[in-house]
């Protein structure tokens, strides 16, 4: 390394210490990257790659970005999964001998990025740590931009995946053992775009984790943190905190508490359910508009938006907690004037959680503090209005909300109304806050006036009429007296220089004023920065109070949002029952009804229980509204359990522990899974993990394979779910296998429903109404016509369909077998073009026909008849 220049030697040493990062190395007004980093960054960010002399024959590859625009480039690299180490100049170039002192001040990773421009204000940016050992997963998650910090323990891969999907972290750190588990790490990286990194084992030692946690939270025992029963979780939480110390390189004062929780505290929603129900984003475009969150989110603050998102992703299972939210919404909607007034006061409130994080990081600028102060000014009137409400939830919010008037006063007294954006430009401190600042500010602006006053005073005092105050860089300010008045110079003048025709003097007063004027600018900027930092530290000391108030404001914001949505959309307050009954009258899909103009949505009822109404089999044509109806039922139950009113005329909801959905079909090409394989994986997951208290939404199970296989699987799934000893979950089951409707008479807890359709000649009108009974047709050709399929194709489809019907191919298993005649031969229809292939060209097979004639149809169940038909078809194929 000796052949390199001193600067490059320091760069290489720093790079070696942070080999897993791209090193942004500050040189003057640029951050420079060298060697492999330069090549990587130039490609990723499309920057020009140049070279720099570094003491060797070959120039070092180099690229750079301006320091004032560095955040933009850093965010782009971090979004691509890179870690960026920022090496800053910490020495003063004017005072440095040799190279300026530099050191890494922060490491930015996907899960530790705090830059406001790169973060979605409505989402948390979580870093997750997972510790795997002995079939237990310790899991901890933290949002360093807000100070939120959670820990739990999980017993299975499936539940771990559920938690990963719930938190949606941008980065996961873990021990090496996790890579040996059944968790699909590549799926996390490629499909979910999560950066996954293994840490050294010492991060997860009991001593390191425990010491880090106890020292940070200033407690002596784990019991003080509620972690005594979370040993694996404690190791994950300790490793995460240690990682944050190493990357953030500050005291993390804003991380004031850690929250242990059990996964059983909330309704479990797997990734398929979150996706299929479109809770926070749509399936295709990944947009918020069109999701449940879009309907419910009328929040005014970023904190409220994040909290509402977490409510939607983790519905409650505690009746008391749910009812408390209902009571709050009820009371708010009985006092609309106060409700609207509080919403207006929340409108100008900034993101207090992320503001206090920046303040504690010492990165907040003067304008951040003004925004902070303006937000705090809204709290007292909100507290006054909250005093008008008496329910437990709103009373608890009021108790936890601090007026923070003292902090507001600190900022109001210290910071100028329109301060600069940066902390080194001066103009930060308000007049009257500091006598020294006022004096320096006057010296800067009124210095010439002061000099003129001294000059006039000295002329009058000495009688020297041509006395002048002048300035040069060598002597500074001085009094110049010509030789003709030299005898009038008083004793307190000190000679500084003799010229041919004049003498130059200074006085103690002039010297003092010189020191004040010449150093005023630099001294003023330095003093204002010092006072600003002191105020920042003073506010940081109150971080617990501020965070507690921010959480209370977020809760209030969410309740106001839910109340407003319930009022505008005419939602009803659900009743929570403990009998497992789901009884919805005039239910509506909360999203679809907002997309349809002129209130054209058709409401429907739903009734499910643990008795004779456990499973509803729903038949009807495509596009008729089966999927919408089932999704709306799931969403109404979910909304009820987040504490929201629901789109219905009335609803009684039995709490469910999980909602499962199997909706739609899609190939997972990346993992080599076909449509049917994806479907079966989801069905297997449901049957393994559902309980009798779960709600299942199953749409067209078995459609991805042959008719007989698919029908057999669908039939068996219904039988399995309906059996209370095996599962017994409440289920909505949509299907085009009309044979499944025969289960209504065979299983006492299965009922048939269909979507009403009105026929008008060859056309159909979807009535969107759920009625009792099964459908006997799917109207597929009519739907194809509505979709714009060319007329010749439609006409040919009708001909083929008529052939099938005439020859009993789909007319029911018993009819097909009963109507088969010995020696019959199917012929082409007269109007079928001769150049088109006929579907039927059978041969006389005596043995098979005899076997059919001898069948005892009266004692064959539908599924046995199907299996027999499948067997006979196989024999025919073999003979052909």
């Amino acid at each position: 390394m000796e052949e390199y220049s001193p600067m490059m030697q320091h760069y290489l040493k720093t790079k070696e210490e942070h080999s897993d990062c791209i090193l942004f190395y500050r040189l003057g007004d640029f951050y420079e990257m060298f060697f492999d980093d330069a090549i990587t960054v130039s490609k990723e960010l499309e920057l020009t790659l140049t070279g720099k002399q570094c003491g060797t024959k070959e120039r070092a590859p180099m690229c750079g970005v301006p320091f004032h625009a560095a955040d933009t480039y850093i965010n782009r690299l971090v979004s691509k999964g890179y870690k960026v180490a920022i090496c800053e100049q910490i020495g003063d170039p004017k005072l440095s001998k040799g190279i300026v002192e530099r050191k890494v001040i922060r490491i930015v990773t996907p899960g530790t990025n705090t830059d406001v421009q790169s973060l979605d204000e409505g989402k948390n940016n979580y870093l997750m740590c997972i510790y795997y050992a002995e079939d237990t997963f310790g899991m901890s998650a933290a949002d360093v931009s807000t100070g939120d910090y959670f820990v739990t323990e999980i017993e299975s891969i499936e539940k771990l995946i559920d938690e990963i999907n719930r938190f949606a972290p941008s980065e996961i750190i873990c021990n090496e053992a996790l890579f040996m588990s059944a968790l699909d790490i590549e799926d996390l990286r490629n499909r979910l775009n999560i950066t996954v990194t293994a840490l050294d084992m010492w991060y997860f030692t009991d001593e390191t984790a425990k010491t880090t946690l106890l020292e940070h939270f200033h407690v002596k025992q784990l019991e003080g943190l509620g972690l005594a029963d979370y040993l694996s979780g404690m190791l994950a939480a300790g490793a995460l905190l240690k990682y944050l110390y190493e990357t953030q390189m500050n005291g993390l004062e804003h991380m004031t508490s850690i929250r242990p929780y059990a996964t059983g505290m909330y309704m479990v929603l797997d990734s398929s359910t979150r996706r299929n129900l479109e809770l926070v984003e749509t399936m295709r475009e990944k947009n918020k508009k069109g999701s449940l969150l879009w309907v419910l989110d009328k929040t005014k603050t970023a904190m409220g938006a994040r909290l509402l998102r977490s409510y939607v992703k983790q519905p409650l299972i505690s009746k008391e907690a749910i009812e408390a939210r209902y009571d709050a919404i009820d009371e708010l909607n009985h006092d609309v004037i106060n409700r609207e007034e509080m919403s207006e006061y929340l409108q100008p409130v900034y993101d207090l959680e992320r503001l206090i994080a920046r303040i504690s990081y010492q990165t907040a600028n003067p304008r951040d503090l003004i925004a902070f102060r303006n937000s705090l000014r809204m709290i007292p009137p909100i507290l006054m209005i909250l005093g008008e409400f008496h329910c437990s939830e709103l009373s608890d919010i009021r108790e936890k909300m601090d007026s923070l008037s003292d902090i507001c006063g600190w900022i109001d007294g210290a910071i100028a109304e329109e301060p600069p954006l940066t902390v080194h430009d001066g103009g930060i401190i308000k007049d009257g806050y500091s006598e020294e600042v006022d004096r320096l500010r006057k010296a800067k602006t009124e210095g010439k006036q002061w000099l003129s006053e001294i000059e006039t005073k000295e002329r009058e005092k000495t009688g020297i009429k041509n006395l002048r105050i002048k300035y040069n860089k060598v002597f500074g300010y001085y009094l110049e007296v010509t030789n003709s008045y030299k005898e009038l110079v008083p004793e307190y003048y000190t000679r500084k220089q003799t010229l041919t025709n004049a003498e130059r003097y200074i006085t103690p007063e002039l010297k003092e004023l010189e020191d004040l004027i010449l150093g005023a600018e630099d001294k003023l900027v330095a003093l204002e920065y010092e006072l600003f930092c002191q105020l920042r530290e003073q506010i940081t000391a109150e971080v617990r109070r501020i965070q507690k108030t921010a959480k209370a404001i977020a809760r209030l914001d969410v309740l106001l949002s839910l109340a407003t949505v319930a009022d505008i959309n005419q939602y009803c307050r659900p009743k929570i029952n403990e009998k497992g009954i789901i009884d919805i009258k005039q239910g509506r899909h909360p999203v679809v009804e907002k997309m349809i103009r002129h209130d054209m949505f058709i409401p429907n009822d739903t009734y499910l229980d643990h008795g004779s109404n456990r499973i509803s089999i729903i038949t009807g044509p495509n596009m008729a509204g089966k999927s919408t109806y089932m999704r709306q039922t799931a969403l109404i139950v979910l909304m009820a359990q987040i504490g929201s009113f629901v789109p219905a005329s009335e609803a009684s909801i039995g709490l469910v522990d999980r909602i499962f959905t199997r909706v739609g079909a899609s190939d997972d090409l990346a993992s080599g899974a076909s449509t049917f394989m994806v479907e079966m994986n989801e069905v297997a997951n449901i049957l393994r993990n559902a309980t009798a208290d779960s709600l299942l939404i199953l749409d067209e199970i078995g459609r991805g394979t042959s008719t007989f296989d698919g029908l057999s699987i669908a039939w068996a799934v219904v039988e399995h779910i309906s059996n209370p000893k095996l599962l017994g979950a409440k289920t909505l089951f949509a299907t085009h296998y009309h044979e499944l409707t025969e289960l209504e008479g065979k299983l006492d807890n299965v009922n048939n429903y269909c979507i009403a359709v009105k026929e008008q000649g060859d056309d159909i009108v979807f009535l969107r109404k759920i009625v009792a009974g099964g459908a006997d047709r799917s109207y597929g050709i009519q739907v194809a016509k509505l979709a714009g399929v060319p007329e010749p194709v439609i006409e040919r489809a009708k001909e083929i369909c008529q052939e099938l019907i005439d020859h009993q191919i789909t007319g029911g298993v018993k009819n097909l077998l009963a109507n088969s005649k010995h020696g019959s031969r199917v012929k082409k229809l007269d109007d079928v073009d001769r150049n088109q292939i006929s579907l039927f060209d059978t041969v006389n097979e005596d043995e098979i026909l005899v076997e059919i004639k001898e069948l005892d149809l009266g004692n064959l169940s539908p599924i046995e008849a199907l299996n027999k038909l499948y067997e006979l078809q196989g024999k025919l194929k073999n003979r052909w």
Side-chain angles (χ1 to χ4, degrees), residues 129 356 386 410 413 459 494 523 595 618 651 683 755 773:
C129 183
I356 190 57
L386 274 174
W410 298 343
R459 279 181 191 166
T494 302
K523 288 178 182 177
M595 296 291 195
I618 304 164
V683 169
I755 309 288

Side-chain angles (χ1 to χ4, degrees), residues 180-199:
M180 309 302 171
S181 71
L183 184 65
D184 190 342
I185 301 295
E186 290 308 310
D187 182 61
L188 298 180
R189 287 171 170 163
N190 300 326
R191 186 172 62 84
L192 300 181
N193 198 30
I194 300 173
T195 300
V196 184
T197 310
L199 299 181

Side-chain angles (χ1 to χ4, degrees), residues 2 242 272 425 474 581 668-669 692 754 768 816 827 873:
E2 293 179 359
K242 189 70 176 176
S272 296
D425 287 347
V474 178
I581 296 171
D668 188 355
L669 299 178
C754 65
R768 313 289 186 190
L816 173 62
K827 298 180 180 178
Q873 185 188 52

Side-chain angles (χ1 to χ4, degrees), residues 543-570:
V543 63
R544 286 180 180 272
R545 290 172 58 202
I546 296 166
Q547 286 182 331
K548 189 176 179 181
T549 299
K551 293 293 184 190
I553 290 173
R555 286 171 61 197
L556 176 63
D557 195 11
V558 169
L559 291 173
L560 289 169
S561 177
L562 293 177
T564 301
V565 171
D567 188 19
I568 293 172
N569 298 324
Q570 298 181 325

Side-chain angles (χ1 to χ4, degrees), residues 108-119:
V108 185
T109 71
T112 62
N113 196 355
T114 58
D115 182 67
V116 181
Q117 303 303 320
S118 68
L119 299 179

Side-chain angles (χ1 to χ4, degrees), residues 304-463:
R306 288 194 297 271
L307 184 62
L308 178 59
R309 175 181 283 264
S310 74
Y311 278 13
V312 170
K313 293 172 79 171
Q314 52 183 40
L316 302 169
I317 57 173
S318 164
K319 181 181 178 181
E320 293 74 20
I322 295 169
E323 293 281 7
R325 291 180 186 174
Y326 290 166
D327 291 341
I329 294 171
D330 236 345
E331 195 170 2
L332 287 168
N333 282 344
H334 279 90
D335 192 348
V336 176
I337 293 175
N338 276 332
R339 185 194 78 196
E340 292 301 311
E341 192 172 353
M342 282 193 291
S343 290
E344 287 180 17
Y345 280 125
L346 286 177
Q347 187 77 51
V349 174
Y350 284 79
D351 194 340
L352 296 182
E353 289 180 327
R354 285 182 172 163
L355 271 175
I356 190 57
R358 291 207 298 280
I359 290 170
S360 67
Y361 264 52
Q362 305 297 303
T363 58
N365 61 48
R367 292 185 189 176
D368 286 335
L369 291 198
I370 291 297
F372 191 59
R373 180 207 64 186
N374 292 341
S375 300
L376 299 187
R377 284 177 173 175
M378 299 297 108
I379 298 176
I382 291 173
L383 282 169
M384 188 177 298
I385 298 172
L386 274 174
E388 302 291 322
F389 297 91
H390 306 290
C391 70
S392 62
E393 191 78 0
L394 294 175
S395 297
D396 185 60
I397 288 172
R398 188 174 188 278
E399 288 175 11
K400 291 178 177 174
M401 194 182 296
D402 191 324
S403 69
L404 302 175
S405 54
D406 52 341
I407 300 173
C408 185
W410 298 343
I411 301 171
D412 205 27
I415 306 297
E417 285 300 320
E418 295 184 5
L421 185 61
T422 64
V423 294
H424 295 295
D425 287 347
I428 300 172
I429 302 301
K430 186 179 282 188
D431 289 340
Y433 180 74
S434 164
E435 290 183 7
E436 183 64 15
V437 167
D438 293 345
R439 193 170 72 87
L440 290 170
R441 198 167 277 162
K442 281 185 178 180
K444 178 184 170 187
T445 58
E446 301 176 16
K448 289 183 179 179
Q449 178 64 32
W450 291 351
L451 289 169
S452 179
E453 289 173 0
I454 289 178
E455 185 179 85
T456 302
K457 184 177 69 174
E458 290 298 325
R459 279 181 191 166
E460 293 174 353
K461 187 186 292 185
T462 62

